[in-house]
Amino acid sequence: MSRARRGGFLETERLRPIIAIDGPAGAGKSIVARRLAAELGFTFVDTGAIYRAFAYVARQSGVATDDPTTLGGLASDLVREGALRFDFGAGGTRVFHLGDEITSFLRLSHIGIAASLVSAHSEVRDAFLDLQRELGSLGGTVFEGRDIGTVVFPNADVKFFLTASPQVRAERRVTELQTKGEKVSLDDTLHQVQRRDHLDSMRLVAPLRRARDAAIIDSSALTIDETVVLMAHHVRAFDFDHGES
Ligand code: DC
């Protein structure tokens, strides 16, 4: 992917590009972003892990999801003290709180809902903004989240909005949770997917929405491989267009 380092990507101050992938829960963002990063030789950052880790710690600390002041203070303390450590390795994201690994708790559905609730507060988002920008300071990174192309990196080199129908996303979530030993029904999961969509897109601060310059990819009828190929093609086409101009 040598061409990715010249052409349009050099218009930014970063030496290597930032690729933003936003979209609703269960659209396959994590797996696709990880695979795309591997294909391009980039680092992958799963920003949902930051909010999930925070939701987990807030819950352990007994802080209510509707207490923005205390949540914001806790988030700032965690960032300042470096209490959360993220290992965005190729084999999956691992998260540590004060040295203890908390990875296995983060994909539980109640932590997903809690992450959605705590991440709706500007006090919490502000606390994690610089951390995310710092993670992307060198470029060469695929970021996956809800507001990467709109808020965190509005100047990202390539932006995607990856989506799929609620039914397909619920089916994928059921499969994912079942492999982790969680028993869930499709109806409940569909209801949770719709609730998360509503919470994430209706919140006042950094709501889930497509950046105007993001390419929409609907993965409902695509396999993971097909989605990655499509996106990698788009990244290369973007580079080529700018490199030629
Ligand atoms: O992508 P995920 O399901 O792991 O994200 C968990 C929650 O975190 C999601 O419901 C909304 C929130 N989130 C966010 O607000 N902004 C991000 N960039 C990533 C996740």
Side-chain angles (χ1 to χ4, degrees), residues 47-48 51-52 107 115-116 119 125 145-147 196 200 203:
T47 60
Y51 291 103
R52 284 174 182 267
R107 302 300 305 176
S116 199
S119 65
R125 304 197 75 83
R146 300 293 190 288
D147 62 339
R196 289 264 299 278
D200 293 348
R203 70 186 179 204

Side-chain angles (χ1 to χ4, degrees), residues 22-26 29-30 46-52 106-107 111-117 119-120 125 132 144-148 152 173 196 199-200 203 206:
D22 292 306
K29 292 190 307 291
S30 289
D46 152 26
T47 60
I50 298 174
Y51 291 103
R52 284 174 182 267
L106 304 188
R107 302 300 305 176
I111 297 296
I113 291 285
S116 199
L117 293 169
S119 65
R125 304 197 75 83
Q132 293 174 79
E144 176 253 303
R146 300 293 190 288
D147 62 339
I148 305 302
V152 183
R173 193 63 103 186
R196 289 264 299 278
L199 286 171
D200 293 348
R203 70 186 179 204

Side-chain angles (χ1 to χ4, degrees), residues 150 159 209-215:
T150 51
K159 299 181 187 178
R209 63 182 170 78
R210 180 177 78 90
R212 270 209 308 257
D213 48 352

